[in-house]
Amino acid sequence: YRVPAAGRLACWGQDRWFTLVQLRILTGRTHQIRLHMAFLGHPLVGDMKYNPDRFEHDCALVPRIFLHCLRMEFQDMDGDNFTAASELAPDLQMVLCELHRLSGSEEE
């Protein structure tokens, strides 16, 4: 999504691009997604630790880091597979809708 720096977002000074990605981590290390995405030049929206320069501007869109665990799988202590799944949180769903609206994207 390309969101223009206009209206309440004029403080950005320039348009910004946002991309929704789905990642699969292998080790589950703390901050793995956040650190690697920042290293690649695509930090998470609302990430104060790895994207401090844009944190204040991100707060105009989202009140917290835009990170969600869709599904988690592991073996429990009995050796049985366990899967937990969760839909995207309502606040993050609202942010996606707002990005869609601000970017002027057509319905797919």
Side-chain angles (χ1 to χ4, degrees):
Y1 300 101
R2 184 187 65 77
V3 176
R8 68 181 172 92
L9 304 176
C11 63
W12 288 351
Q14 62 182 5
D15 296 355
R16 289 184 58 192
W17 286 89
F18 298 90
T19 303
L20 181 64
V21 297
Q22 182 174 336
L23 304 169
R24 181 178 179 187
I25 61 173
L26 302 177
T27 65
R29 301 286 301 181
T30 303
H31 298 232
Q32 181 181 16
I33 292 172
R34 296 168 63 192
L35 175 65
H36 289 170
M37 290 301 293
F39 178 78
L40 293 171
H42 301 284
L44 276 65
V45 174
D47 191 342
M48 185 186 301
K49 182 175 181 84
Y50 296 105
N51 193 19
D53 295 341
R54 290 194 175 158
F55 177 74
E56 196 169 325
H57 291 167
D58 289 350
C59 288
L61 289 174
V62 62
R64 65 178 178 98
I65 191 169
F66 200 112
L67 183 62
H68 173 74
C69 178
L70 177 65
R71 185 176 67 236
M72 182 184 316
E73 299 176 10
F74 57 89
Q75 284 188 339
D76 66 19
M77 299 200 48
D78 296 326
D80 297 325
N81 289 328
F82 177 81
T83 301
S86 173
E87 294 296 322
L88 188 62
D91 62 336
L92 298 183
Q93 288 181 26
M94 288 176 53
V95 171
L96 282 180
C97 289
E98 181 69 356
L99 285 174
H100 187 83
R101 186 188 70 75
L102 291 168
S103 70
S105 297
E106 296 294 321
E107 287 293 322
E108 296 179 7

